[in-house]
Amino acid sequence: MTNPGEVSPVTGRKIFSLAFPALGVLAAEPLYLLFDIAVVGRLGALPLAGLAVGGLILALVSTQLTFLSYGTTARAARLHGAGRDREAVEEGVQATWLAVAIGLVLVMIVEVIARPLTSLVAGSADIAAAAESWLRIAVFGVPLILVALAGNGWMRGVQNTVRPLRFVVLGLGISALLCPVLVHGLLGVPPMGLEGSAVANLMGQSVSGSLFAWALAREPVSARPRPAIMRAQMVMGRDLILRSLAFQACFVSAAAVASRFGAAVVGAHQVVLQLWNLVSLVLDSLAVAAQTLIGAALGGGYAAAAKKMAWRITIWSTVFAMLLAVIFGVGHSVIPGLFTGDAEVLAQMSIAWWFFVAIMPVAGVVFALDGVLLGAGDVAFLRNATMLCAVAGFLPAIWLSLACDWGLAGIWAGLSVFVVLRMVAVSWRAVSGKWAVTGTGTVRGSSSEEAEGSWQQS
């Protein structure tokens, strides 16, 4: 094995060659969602609110399984760094089996509880009804979404970020073409309204998911299920799911509170939240490169180089975030009007806007170091830190907003505190260096001791 103190032959050009295609993948979906919002927003505040609630629930269902992408990347990258590419691809096979099985179960569950679920989040019968009709169609895309997550995971692990970009863009491009046609009834097609948005989403996801499955089928590896590998993936998945649940508890609570203030408030919150998601995922492109390269470096024994790379990527990410903050700050009087012409919604958006702009530079640090720690397999720490920051920062502010009638100002103040607390936590962990454990072993558990030695020296 290479001496951990040696310098890894990874250059800045290599980092950005991975980051730019990953940026396309990460930005493509939120860009499409913003387009979807703009199309549905022309129908009025109620359909927009229905899309907001339905879309939030779909995200809650599908994004809990991020271990299919992030966990698979971390495991595959370690194997790739050690020159074991066949085993790295096999991680993708097993993650895809998990995606299909879990996705089908989720479809059945959501179809059964769609009505009480949308009623719980929406607060208003009209918004709940609109959200339910959208969700019952869109949820059939969940298995395909999860297959695409698994595909992104193993391809990133073997440092191929271009193919996922092609697959995702093609699928979302089809959705973008169909969305206005189906929603508003263009080209002689009967208008479907809000339900047309769900059908367009489903068609695009079918294309992307099928392409990822096709790419995996062409690899020279066995397609049979391997329970041992799937169990190992689920160990890492356990912590990532709990971490994701902490995020979703915050954002579902925010949507539920916003809904209690009326359709204009929840519509405005949805637009700014999607812009926040766009910015977050754009910043996460460097984090994807960090995850891929740091996993490979630690798998090959380059601990010192991994630490150096972590700080380089964090600096680039922070500078990029500051540039984005300037762009959105200057565009505050123009950008909101691209998504809706409703005066009440625009007025509410102006309340959240400056919170959104102010936290971008902080997010630059957070997302970069998240990528570093995910690449190192330090998921137990990330789980604990995220849950603690949610309980201490975001959730209290959200529910105080309802009790004290603070509206969107309170909700977005809570998000700001959450991001700042996460920056403190991941920066402390990065400085400690405890995450930089070399080798290609598997995650053994989620206690604090096991987290520090989760990847054993091979």
Side-chain angles (χ1 to χ4, degrees), residues 392-419:
F394 204 169
L395 289 171
I398 291 170
W399 293 108
L400 280 172
S401 298
L402 180 61
C404 302
D405 199 29
W406 291 341
L408 279 186
I411 292 171
W412 280 82
L415 175 60
S416 301
V417 172
F418 180 54
V419 175

Side-chain angles (χ1 to χ4, degrees), residues 83-301:
R84 294 155 60 180
D85 281 3
R86 186 184 182 89
E87 292 172 67
V89 176
E90 286 176 352
E91 292 286 337
V93 173
Q94 304 312 312
T96 300
W97 278 116
L98 284 173
V100 173
I102 296 171
L104 291 174
V105 171
L106 288 174
V107 170
M108 291 187 286
I109 292 172
V110 172
E111 287 292 345
V112 171
I113 66 171
R115 180 163 298 175
L117 189 59
T118 52
S119 297
L120 177 66
V121 176
S124 161
D126 290 342
I127 297 175
E132 182 186 348
S133 66
W134 186 91
L135 181 62
R136 286 192 180 278
I137 299 170
V139 73
F140 284 101
V142 168
L144 301 160
I145 294 171
L146 300 186
V147 167
L149 286 177
N152 267 289
W154 73 265
M155 288 186 186
R156 289 172 184 170
V158 298
Q159 300 188 11
N160 185 344
T161 56
V162 175
R163 290 183 81 190
L165 175 62
R166 293 171 182 160
F167 296 166
V168 169
V169 168
L170 181 58
L172 292 178
I174 290 172
S175 293
L177 290 173
L178 289 175
C179 188
V181 172
L182 298 178
V183 170
H184 296 292
L186 307 179
L187 305 176
V189 176
M192 297 179 65
L194 179 59
E195 289 78 7
S197 162
V199 173
N201 273 267
L202 181 57
M203 296 300 292
Q205 288 155 1
S206 299
V207 171
S208 292
S210 298
L211 288 171
F212 278 109
W214 170 79
L216 194 57
R218 290 174 59 86
E219 292 290 331
V221 296
S222 171
R224 68 182 179 86
R226 299 273 299 277
I229 295 178
M230 285 190 274
R231 281 195 299 270
Q233 290 176 341
M234 289 296 291
V235 170
M236 179 173 281
R238 175 181 58 199
D239 290 328
L240 289 174
I241 288 171
L242 289 172
R243 176 176 179 262
S244 184
L245 282 171
F247 284 121
Q248 295 303 330
C250 292
F251 289 113
V252 169
S253 295
V257 170
S259 294
R260 269 65 179 179
F261 289 105
V265 173
V266 74
H269 175 66
Q270 173 68 2
V271 174
V272 182
L273 182 62
Q274 289 302 329
L275 286 168
W276 165 249
N277 288 340
L278 171 63
V279 168
S280 299
L281 293 176
V282 168
L283 293 175
D284 216 20
S285 63
L286 284 173
V288 167
Q291 186 184 359
T292 300
L293 294 171
I294 283 176
L298 294 176

Side-chain angles (χ1 to χ4, degrees), residues 66-86:
T66 53
F67 77 90
L68 292 169
S69 57
Y70 293 115
T72 303
T73 296
R75 292 173 59 83
R78 292 264 182 168
L79 293 164
H80 175 73
R84 294 155 60 180
D85 281 3
R86 186 184 182 89

